[in-house]
PDB file of all heavy atoms in Angstrom:
ATOM      1  N   ALA A 256       9.010  12.756  11.909  1.00 97.00           N
ATOM      2  CA  ALA A 256      10.159  12.460  12.676  1.00 97.00           C
ATOM      3  C   ALA A 256      11.358  12.034  11.926  1.00 97.00           C
ATOM      4  O   ALA A 256      12.488  12.064  12.362  1.00 97.00           O
ATOM      5  CB  ALA A 256       9.835  11.261  13.761  1.00 97.00           C
ATOM      6  N   PHE A 257      11.163  11.585  10.645  1.00 96.00           N
ATOM      7  CA  PHE A 257      12.292  10.992   9.971  1.00 96.00           C
ATOM      8  C   PHE A 257      13.024  11.968   9.005  1.00 96.00           C
ATOM      9  O   PHE A 257      12.347  12.789   8.334  1.00 96.00           O
ATOM     10  CB  PHE A 257      11.794   9.763   9.153  1.00 96.00           C
ATOM     11  CG  PHE A 257      11.082   8.685  10.072  1.00 96.00           C
ATOM     12  CD1 PHE A 257       9.719   8.413   9.850  1.00 96.00           C
ATOM     13  CD2 PHE A 257      11.779   8.259  11.182  1.00 96.00           C
ATOM     14  CE1 PHE A 257       9.167   7.447  10.616  1.00 96.00           C
ATOM     15  CE2 PHE A 257      11.178   7.296  12.025  1.00 96.00           C
ATOM     16  CZ  PHE A 257       9.952   6.861  11.722  1.00 96.00           C
ATOM     17  N   ASP A 258      14.373  11.628   8.907  1.00 94.00           N
ATOM     18  CA  ASP A 258      15.085  12.348   7.821  1.00 94.00           C
ATOM     19  C   ASP A 258      15.052  11.619   6.479  1.00 94.00           C
ATOM     20  O   ASP A 258      15.234  12.205   5.407  1.00 94.00           O
ATOM     21  CB  ASP A 258      16.580  12.398   8.311  1.00 94.00           C
ATOM     22  CG  ASP A 258      16.697  13.240   9.586  1.00 94.00           C
ATOM     23  OD1 ASP A 258      16.449  14.461   9.397  1.00 94.00           O
ATOM     24  OD2 ASP A 258      17.058  12.698  10.569  1.00 94.00           O
ATOM     25  N   VAL A 259      14.665  10.306   6.616  1.00 95.00           N
ATOM     26  CA  VAL A 259      14.562   9.569   5.335  1.00 95.00           C
ATOM     27  C   VAL A 259      13.816   8.251   5.708  1.00 95.00           C
ATOM     28  O   VAL A 259      13.794   7.828   6.733  1.00 95.00           O
ATOM     29  CB  VAL A 259      15.973   9.153   4.818  1.00 95.00           C
ATOM     30  CG1 VAL A 259      16.687   8.214   5.703  1.00 95.00           C
ATOM     31  CG2 VAL A 259      15.902   8.653   3.366  1.00 95.00           C
ATOM     32  N   LEU A 260      13.063   7.875   4.627  1.00 97.00           N
ATOM     33  CA  LEU A 260      12.418   6.510   4.778  1.00 97.00           C
ATOM     34  C   LEU A 260      13.264   5.611   3.925  1.00 97.00           C
ATOM     35  O   LEU A 260      13.524   5.752   2.848  1.00 97.00           O
ATOM     36  CB  LEU A 260      10.955   6.611   4.182  1.00 97.00           C
ATOM     37  CG  LEU A 260      10.152   5.274   4.146  1.00 97.00           C
ATOM     38  CD1 LEU A 260       9.605   4.987   5.572  1.00 97.00           C
ATOM     39  CD2 LEU A 260       9.188   5.134   3.071  1.00 97.00           C
ATOM     40  N   LEU A 261      13.503   4.382   4.583  1.00 98.00           N
ATOM     41  CA  LEU A 261      14.252   3.354   3.931  1.00 98.00           C
ATOM     42  C   LEU A 261      13.307   2.123   3.649  1.00 98.00           C
ATOM     43  O   LEU A 261      12.685   1.581   4.449  1.00 98.00           O
ATOM     44  CB  LEU A 261      15.395   2.851   4.817  1.00 98.00           C
ATOM     45  CG  LEU A 261      16.226   1.692   4.342  1.00 98.00           C
ATOM     46  CD1 LEU A 261      16.850   1.909   2.922  1.00 98.00           C
ATOM     47  CD2 LEU A 261      17.266   1.366   5.384  1.00 98.00           C
ATOM     48  N   SER A 262      13.327   1.724   2.329  1.00 98.00           N
ATOM     49  CA  SER A 262      12.495   0.643   1.941  1.00 98.00           C
ATOM     50  C   SER A 262      13.505  -0.426   1.348  1.00 98.00           C
ATOM     51  O   SER A 262      14.127  -0.188   0.238  1.00 98.00           O
ATOM     52  CB  SER A 262      11.477   1.026   0.921  1.00 98.00           C
ATOM     53  OG  SER A 262      10.917  -0.191   0.328  1.00 98.00           O
ATOM     54  N   CYS A 263      13.567  -1.523   1.890  1.00 97.00           N
ATOM     55  CA  CYS A 263      14.508  -2.682   1.411  1.00 97.00           C
ATOM     56  C   CYS A 263      13.615  -3.764   0.773  1.00 97.00           C
ATOM     57  O   CYS A 263      14.133  -4.995   0.684  1.00 97.00           O
ATOM     58  CB  CYS A 263      15.395  -3.249   2.518  1.00 97.00           C
ATOM     59  SG  CYS A 263      16.610  -2.105   3.060  1.00 97.00           S
ATOM     60  N   SER A 264      12.394  -3.585   0.389  1.00 96.00           N
ATOM     61  CA  SER A 264      11.480  -4.671  -0.039  1.00 96.00           C
ATOM     62  C   SER A 264      12.064  -5.331  -1.192  1.00 96.00           C
ATOM     63  O   SER A 264      12.798  -4.842  -2.021  1.00 96.00           O
ATOM     64  CB  SER A 264      10.144  -3.893  -0.536  1.00 96.00           C
ATOM     65  OG  SER A 264       9.485  -3.388   0.596  1.00 96.00           O
ATOM     66  N   THR A 265      11.709  -6.660  -1.278  1.00 96.00           N
ATOM     67  CA  THR A 265      12.148  -7.513  -2.344  1.00 96.00           C
ATOM     68  C   THR A 265      11.273  -7.472  -3.588  1.00 96.00           C
ATOM     69  O   THR A 265      10.368  -6.618  -3.676  1.00 96.00           O
ATOM     70  CB  THR A 265      12.081  -8.942  -1.816  1.00 96.00           C
ATOM     71  OG1 THR A 265      10.711  -9.318  -1.595  1.00 96.00           O
ATOM     72  CG2 THR A 265      12.804  -9.109  -0.490  1.00 96.00           C
ATOM     73  N   GLU A 266      11.575  -8.315  -4.495  1.00 96.00           N
ATOM     74  CA  GLU A 266      10.656  -8.305  -5.748  1.00 96.00           C
ATOM     75  C   GLU A 266       9.270  -8.658  -5.483  1.00 96.00           C
ATOM     76  O   GLU A 266       8.483  -8.491  -6.394  1.00 96.00           O
ATOM     77  CB  GLU A 266      11.391  -9.269  -6.735  1.00 96.00           C
ATOM     78  CG  GLU A 266      11.339 -10.716  -6.381  1.00 96.00           C
ATOM     79  CD  GLU A 266      12.368 -11.225  -5.480  1.00 96.00           C
ATOM     80  OE1 GLU A 266      13.158 -10.304  -4.994  1.00 96.00           O
ATOM     81  OE2 GLU A 266      12.515 -12.500  -5.347  1.00 96.00           O
ATOM     82  N   HIS A 267       8.965  -9.191  -4.339  1.00 95.00           N
ATOM     83  CA  HIS A 267       7.603  -9.491  -4.035  1.00 95.00           C
ATOM     84  C   HIS A 267       6.696  -8.372  -3.600  1.00 95.00           C
ATOM     85  O   HIS A 267       5.519  -8.501  -3.407  1.00 95.00           O
ATOM     86  CB  HIS A 267       7.571 -10.615  -2.895  1.00 95.00           C
ATOM     87  CG  HIS A 267       8.332 -11.835  -3.302  1.00 95.00           C
ATOM     88  ND1 HIS A 267       7.863 -12.666  -4.330  1.00 95.00           N
ATOM     89  CD2 HIS A 267       9.423 -12.398  -2.736  1.00 95.00           C
ATOM     90  CE1 HIS A 267       8.780 -13.734  -4.266  1.00 95.00           C
ATOM     91  NE2 HIS A 267       9.719 -13.491  -3.472  1.00 95.00           N
ATOM     92  N   GLU A 268       7.354  -7.178  -3.427  1.00 97.00           N
ATOM     93  CA  GLU A 268       6.609  -5.957  -3.151  1.00 97.00           C
ATOM     94  C   GLU A 268       5.827  -5.539  -4.390  1.00 97.00           C
ATOM     95  O   GLU A 268       6.408  -5.054  -5.340  1.00 97.00           O
ATOM     96  CB  GLU A 268       7.580  -4.840  -2.637  1.00 97.00           C
ATOM     97  CG  GLU A 268       6.809  -3.489  -2.247  1.00 97.00           C
ATOM     98  CD  GLU A 268       5.968  -3.745  -1.092  1.00 97.00           C
ATOM     99  OE1 GLU A 268       6.441  -3.685   0.123  1.00 97.00           O
ATOM    100  OE2 GLU A 268       4.753  -3.950  -1.187  1.00 97.00           O
ATOM    101  N   ALA A 269       4.494  -5.445  -4.208  1.00 97.00           N
ATOM    102  CA  ALA A 269       3.654  -5.151  -5.340  1.00 97.00           C
ATOM    103  C   ALA A 269       3.500  -3.701  -5.589  1.00 97.00           C
ATOM    104  O   ALA A 269       3.279  -3.309  -6.800  1.00 97.00           O
ATOM    105  CB  ALA A 269       2.262  -5.870  -5.217  1.00 97.00           C
ATOM    106  N   PHE A 270       3.579  -2.887  -4.573  1.00 97.00           N
ATOM    107  CA  PHE A 270       3.284  -1.420  -4.708  1.00 97.00           C
ATOM    108  C   PHE A 270       4.275  -0.624  -3.865  1.00 97.00           C
ATOM    109  O   PHE A 270       5.216  -0.156  -4.363  1.00 97.00           O
ATOM    110  CB  PHE A 270       1.816  -1.155  -4.340  1.00 97.00           C
ATOM    111  CG  PHE A 270       1.370   0.232  -4.515  1.00 97.00           C
ATOM    112  CD1 PHE A 270       1.039   0.624  -5.781  1.00 97.00           C
ATOM    113  CD2 PHE A 270       1.270   1.145  -3.485  1.00 97.00           C
ATOM    114  CE1 PHE A 270       0.571   1.896  -5.995  1.00 97.00           C
ATOM    115  CE2 PHE A 270       0.822   2.508  -3.650  1.00 97.00           C
ATOM    116  CZ  PHE A 270       0.495   2.836  -4.954  1.00 97.00           C
ATOM    117  N   GLY A 271       3.964  -0.531  -2.615  1.00 96.00           N
ATOM    118  CA  GLY A 271       4.882   0.310  -1.660  1.00 96.00           C
ATOM    119  C   GLY A 271       4.101   1.459  -1.131  1.00 96.00           C
ATOM    120  O   GLY A 271       4.351   2.638  -1.371  1.00 96.00           O
ATOM    121  N   PHE A 272       3.012   1.246  -0.270  1.00 97.00           N
ATOM    122  CA  PHE A 272       2.243   2.319   0.267  1.00 97.00           C
ATOM    123  C   PHE A 272       2.927   3.191   1.171  1.00 97.00           C
ATOM    124  O   PHE A 272       2.684   4.406   1.285  1.00 97.00           O
ATOM    125  CB  PHE A 272       0.936   1.714   0.845  1.00 97.00           C
ATOM    126  CG  PHE A 272      -0.202   2.669   0.973  1.00 97.00           C
ATOM    127  CD1 PHE A 272      -1.009   2.881  -0.234  1.00 97.00           C
ATOM    128  CD2 PHE A 272      -0.487   3.349   2.024  1.00 97.00           C
ATOM    129  CE1 PHE A 272      -2.027   3.811  -0.067  1.00 97.00           C
ATOM    130  CE2 PHE A 272      -1.576   4.209   2.084  1.00 97.00           C
ATOM    131  CZ  PHE A 272      -2.300   4.435   1.050  1.00 97.00           C
ATOM    132  N   ALA A 273       3.894   2.584   1.974  1.00 97.00           N
ATOM    133  CA  ALA A 273       4.692   3.459   2.814  1.00 97.00           C
ATOM    134  C   ALA A 273       5.450   4.528   2.065  1.00 97.00           C
ATOM    135  O   ALA A 273       5.639   5.606   2.584  1.00 97.00           O
ATOM    136  CB  ALA A 273       5.586   2.613   3.776  1.00 97.00           C
TER     137      ALA A 273
END
Side-chain angles (χ1 to χ4, degrees):
F257 301 123
D258 296 296
V259 67
L260 179 83
L261 173 59
S262 171
C263 291
S264 292
T265 68
E266 69 275 10
H267 301 294
E268 180 66 79
F270 186 78
F272 203 80

